[in-house]
C-alpha cells in the first residue's frame, strides 16, 4: 500500500482491508501519519516513511504483530501515544535524530534488544518502553539538553547495566522499576533529581556509582555497594538511604602539588579504635605517592627513605589505626596524600 498526496494524512473514514497489507510506503509530501492509521495490520512487515513526514500519530502502527524493524526519518520531531505499542516482534528501531520526546506507551511490549536515545530527546514518558523484555543495552547520546525519564523502562527484565550521562537530569517514579536483572547503575549527573522509587523492584541491583548529590536517596529491595564522591558521604550516611548501603567506596581526587595527581580509596569511612583500614593508591603515570595523611594530619605515613616502602609499590596495604588517635566507638576516617613525579 502506498499513501500519496500532500499534507496531513486524515484517517477518519479511512477504510482498507487490514488483513492483506504487508508493506506500507508513506509517499513524499505526506507530513503527518494519522491516528490509528495502520493499527492492527497483523501481516504488515515493512514500512517506508518518506523524509517529508514530521509527525506520527497516536496508535499509528500499534499491534502490527509481524513488524520487525522501523527507521524513523530525521525530519520526524513528534510521535504520539502508543505509536508502535504492542508490536511483539519489533526488534530493531532507529529513532529520528531530531525527535523531541518519546511519548507514553510508544514502544510498550516490543522486542527491542538495543536502544540508542538521540541527544535531541528531552523527555522519555511513562511506559515508553515498559515490558520490553529483551532490552539489554541502552545508549544515551551525550548532549546539552536535559533529559527527564518517567516510568519509561518499567519491567525491562533483561537490562543488566545502565549508564546515565550528565544530561540525564531527572528520574521519576519507577523509571527503572521491576528491572529484575539490573545489577549496576552509573549516574554521571551531579545535579540529578530522582524519585525515591525509581529503582523499585530491582532485586538484582548490587552496585551504584553516582556523582549525584545527596538529594538522591532511593528505596531499594536490598543493600548495595555505593560509589560516591567523598564530599557527599556525610549527607548520604545521615539520610534514610544509609540503611540501604552495604558498603561505601569513595572518589578521592588529590592534587596537593602544582604538577601532582593521584587517586586514593579507603574501604571505610568510620573505624573503631584499632580497626584495620585498607587504603589503595592509584598514581597518575610518572608519579608516586610520597606521603599519606589520615584524619587531617593526626596520623601521617611517609613512604620514601629510611627503609620504608613506597605506597605506590604496596597497593592495598593495610594499616592499624593507633588507639590514642581515635574516639570510641567510631571515628570518621579522612584521607589525603601527596603525589610527586617519580625520581
Amino acid at each position: 500500500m502506498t499513501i500519496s498526496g500532500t499534507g496531513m494524512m486524515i484517517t477518519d473514514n479511512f477504510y482498507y482491508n487490514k488483513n492483506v497489507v504487508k508493506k506500507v510506503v508513506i509517499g513524499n509530501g505526506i507530513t503527518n501519519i494519522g491516528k490509528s492509521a495502520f493499527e492492527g495490520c497483523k501481516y504488515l512487515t515493512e514500512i517506508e516513511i518518506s523524509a517529508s513526514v514530521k509527525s506520527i500519530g497516536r496508535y499509528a502502527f500499534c499491534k502490527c504483530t509481524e513488524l520487525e524493524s522501523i527507521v524513523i526519518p530525521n525530519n520526524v520531531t513528534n510521535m504520539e501515544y502508543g505509536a508502535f505499542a504492542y508490536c511483539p516482534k519489533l526488534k530493531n528501531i532507529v529513532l529520528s535524530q531530531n525527535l523531541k520526546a518519546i511519548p507514553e506507551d510508544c514502544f510498550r511490549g516490543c522486542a527491542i534488544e538495543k536502544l540508542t536515545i538521540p541527544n535531541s530527546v528531552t523527555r522519555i514518558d511513562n511506559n515508553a518502553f515498559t515490558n520490553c523484555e529483551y532490552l539489554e543495552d541502552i545508549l544515551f547520546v551525550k548532549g546539552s539538553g536535559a533529559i527527564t525519564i518517567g516510568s519509561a523502562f518499567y519491567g525491562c527484565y533483561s537490562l543488566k547495566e545502565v549508564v546515565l550521562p550528565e544530561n540525564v537530569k531527572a528520574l521519576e517514579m519507577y523509571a527503572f522499576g521491576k528491572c529484575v536483572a539490573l545489577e549496576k547503575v552509573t549516574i554521571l549527573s551531579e545535579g540529578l533529581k530522582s524519585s525515591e522509587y525509581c529503582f523499585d523492584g530491582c532485586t538484582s541491583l548490587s552496585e551504584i556509582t553516582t556523582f549525584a548529590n545527596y538529594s538522591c536517596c532511593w528505596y531499594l529491595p536490598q543493600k548495595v555497594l555505593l560509589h560516591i564522591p567523598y564530599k557527599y558521604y556525610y549527607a548520604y550516611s545521615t539520610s534514610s538511604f544509609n540503611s540501604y548501603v552495604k558498603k561505601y567506596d569513595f572518589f578521592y581526587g588529590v592534587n596537593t602539588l602544582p604538577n601532582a595527581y593521584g587517586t586514593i580509596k579507603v574501604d571505610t569511612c568510620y573505624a573503631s579504635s584499632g580497626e584495620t583500614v585498607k587504603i589503595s593508591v592509584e598514581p597518575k603515570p610518572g608519579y608516586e605517592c610520597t606521603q599519606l595523611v589520615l584524619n587531617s594530619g593526626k596520623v601521617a605515613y611517609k613512604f620514601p627513605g629510611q627503609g620504608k616502602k613506597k605506597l605506590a609499590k604496596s597497593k592495598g596495604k593495610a594499616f592499624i589505626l593507633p588507639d590514642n588517635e581515635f574516639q570510641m566507638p567510631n571515628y570518621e576516617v579522612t584521607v589525603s596524600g601527596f603525589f610527586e613525579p617519580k625520581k
Side-chain angles (χ1 to χ4, degrees), residues 79-112:
M79 292 197 298
E80 296 182 5
Y81 188 104
F84 293 90
Y86 304 111
C87 295
K89 293 186 179 180
L90 183 54
K91 177 180 177 181
N92 301 306
I93 67 169
V94 178
L95 296 175
S96 164
Q97 297 300 302
N98 294 298
L99 189 63
K100 295 178 181 179
I102 302 176
E104 286 191 48
D105 280 16
C106 190
F107 294 98
R108 183 173 187 148
C110 293
I112 302 165

Side-chain angles (χ1 to χ4, degrees), residues 203-215:
T203 53
S204 298
L205 186 59
S206 60
E207 186 173 351
I208 297 176
T209 300
T210 178
F211 287 83
N213 61 34
Y214 61 88
S215 64

Side-chain angles (χ1 to χ4, degrees), residues 305-317:
Q306 304 300 319
K308 294 184 178 181
K309 293 181 179 180
K310 297 179 181 180
L311 182 62
K313 293 183 180 180
S314 55
K315 188 175 181 180
K317 181 178 176 64

Side-chain angles (χ1 to χ4, degrees), residues 168-336:
V168 175
K169 297 299 185 182
L171 298 178
E172 296 181 353
M173 185 177 289
Y174 307 132
F176 293 93
K178 292 290 184 180
C179 292
V180 294
L182 185 62
E183 298 174 355
K184 185 176 180 180
V185 174
T186 300
I187 299 169
L188 300 179
S189 172
E190 187 169 358
L192 181 79
K193 304 295 182 183
S194 69
S195 164
E196 295 171 325
Y197 297 97
C198 60
F199 299 115
D200 184 70
C202 295
T203 53
S204 298
L205 186 59
S206 60
E207 186 173 351
I208 297 176
T209 300
T210 178
F211 287 83
N213 61 34
Y214 61 88
S215 64
C216 292
C217 295
W218 309 287
Y219 291 120
L220 302 175
Q222 65 284 316
K223 292 187 175 184
V224 299
L225 171 62
L226 183 67
H227 304 273
I228 57 172
Y230 181 75
K231 62 182 178 180
Y232 294 142
Y233 169 69
Y234 179 78
Y236 273 98
S237 65
T238 56
S239 72
S240 59
F241 183 64
N242 187 57
S243 62
Y244 297 98
V245 179
K246 179 170 62 177
K247 183 178 178 181
Y248 285 96
D249 184 30
F250 303 95
F251 314 139
Y252 289 93
V254 181
N255 192 3
T256 55
L257 295 175
N259 62 349
Y261 180 75
T263 301
I264 298 173
K265 292 183 179 180
V266 60
D267 71 344
T268 185
C269 269
Y270 284 95
S272 298
S273 185
E275 183 180 349
T276 298
V277 176
K278 293 183 180 180
I279 300 169
S280 62
V281 173
E282 299 175 4
K284 181 180 177 180
Y287 292 83
E288 61 186 359
C289 184
T290 58
Q291 184 173 335
L292 185 69
V293 180
L294 278 71
N295 292 81
S296 301
K298 287 188 175 182
V299 184
Y301 297 92
K302 295 183 179 180
F303 296 96
Q306 304 300 319
K308 294 184 178 181
K309 293 181 179 180
K310 297 179 181 180
L311 182 62
K313 293 183 180 180
S314 55
K315 188 175 181 180
K317 181 178 176 64
F319 298 98
I320 304 298
L321 306 181
D323 286 346
N324 60 353
E325 297 288 349
F326 294 89
Q327 300 174 1
M328 294 294 287
N330 295 309
Y331 196 94
E332 186 174 356
V333 178
T334 61
V335 182
S336 61

